[in-house]
Amino acid sequence: MHASVIPGGEDPPTYQAHCRITLERRTVPGESADTVQAELTAVLDRAAAAVHDFRYRLTRGLHREPFEADPDAPIVRTLTHHAEQALGHRPAVRAEPYWTDCALLDRAGIPCLLFDVDGAGAHVATEYVDLASLDRLTDILTATIADF
C-alpha cells in the first residue's frame, strides 16, 4: 500500500484543517476488495482511537482482481521448458506486486503468464531493458508459441 496522492493545506506556517490521502492497495491471490477494505478500516479505526480529532471516510475506488499463474498449466510448463533451455537454468516462479492484463485474460479463460526481460526502472524516466535479454526473450517466446 502506498499513499499516492496527498493534497491539503493552504500555506507552510498553518496547521491544516484537513488532508485527503489517496491510497493504492493492490490485492494478491486469496484477497478480495472486501478483505482489503476490512484491513484498511481496522488500521484507520486504530488511528482514530489514538489520535484526537482524526476522522476518516474510506471510499473504495477501482478494484482489479489479482492474478496467479498455475505452475502446472500447459502454457507455464511449455514456457518454463524453453526458458530453461535458453537460460541454462529453470526460471523462478514468483508473485509480482503489480497488476497486469493477465488477470483479465485468465478470467476470460485465455491461458497466460508473465515472463519478462532483464532491466529496471519500469514506468519511470530511466526505464531500460538489457538488449541481450530481449533477444533471449524473443527466442523463448517464439519457441513457446510454436510448441504450445
Side-chain angles (χ1 to χ4, degrees):
M1 174 172 53
H2 71 104
S4 56
V5 180
I6 310 174
E10 297 163 21
D11 60 79
T14 305
Y15 287 100
Q16 308 315 323
H18 71 277
C19 176
R20 179 182 183 147
I21 299 175
T22 300
L23 301 173
E24 181 180 33
R25 167 57 166 80
R26 298 175 182 191
T27 54
V28 297
E31 294 180 324
S32 68
D34 291 338
T35 60
V36 169
Q37 185 165 341
E39 173 189 294
L40 292 174
T41 298
V43 169
L44 292 168
D45 284 347
R46 284 193 303 275
V51 178
H52 176 69
D53 287 341
F54 176 80
R55 291 179 304 283
Y56 73 90
R57 182 180 74 230
L58 184 61
T59 305
R60 186 186 300 182
L62 175 67
H63 169 69
R64 294 177 173 157
E65 293 291 327
F67 167 75
E68 183 174 30
D70 177 359
D72 295 323
I75 188 67
V76 176
R77 288 194 325 264
T78 303
L79 184 131
T80 300
H81 166 75
H82 290 291
E84 188 170 2
Q85 288 185 331
L87 300 172
H89 60 85
R90 186 171 175 84
V93 177
R94 64 177 193 263
E96 295 294 348
Y98 49 80
W99 188 87
T100 72
D101 290 342
C102 279
L104 298 174
L105 296 169
D106 183 59
R107 298 304 182 287
I110 300 168
C112 60
L113 72 155
L114 298 173
F115 190 72
D116 209 348
V117 293
D118 294 330
H123 308 298
V124 299
T126 56
E127 181 173 2
Y128 72 92
V129 61
D130 176 78
L131 292 179
S133 171
L134 181 60
D135 288 339
R136 283 189 304 275
L137 177 64
T138 301
D139 294 342
I140 293 166
L141 294 178
T142 301
T144 300
I145 291 165
D147 195 16
F148 189 72

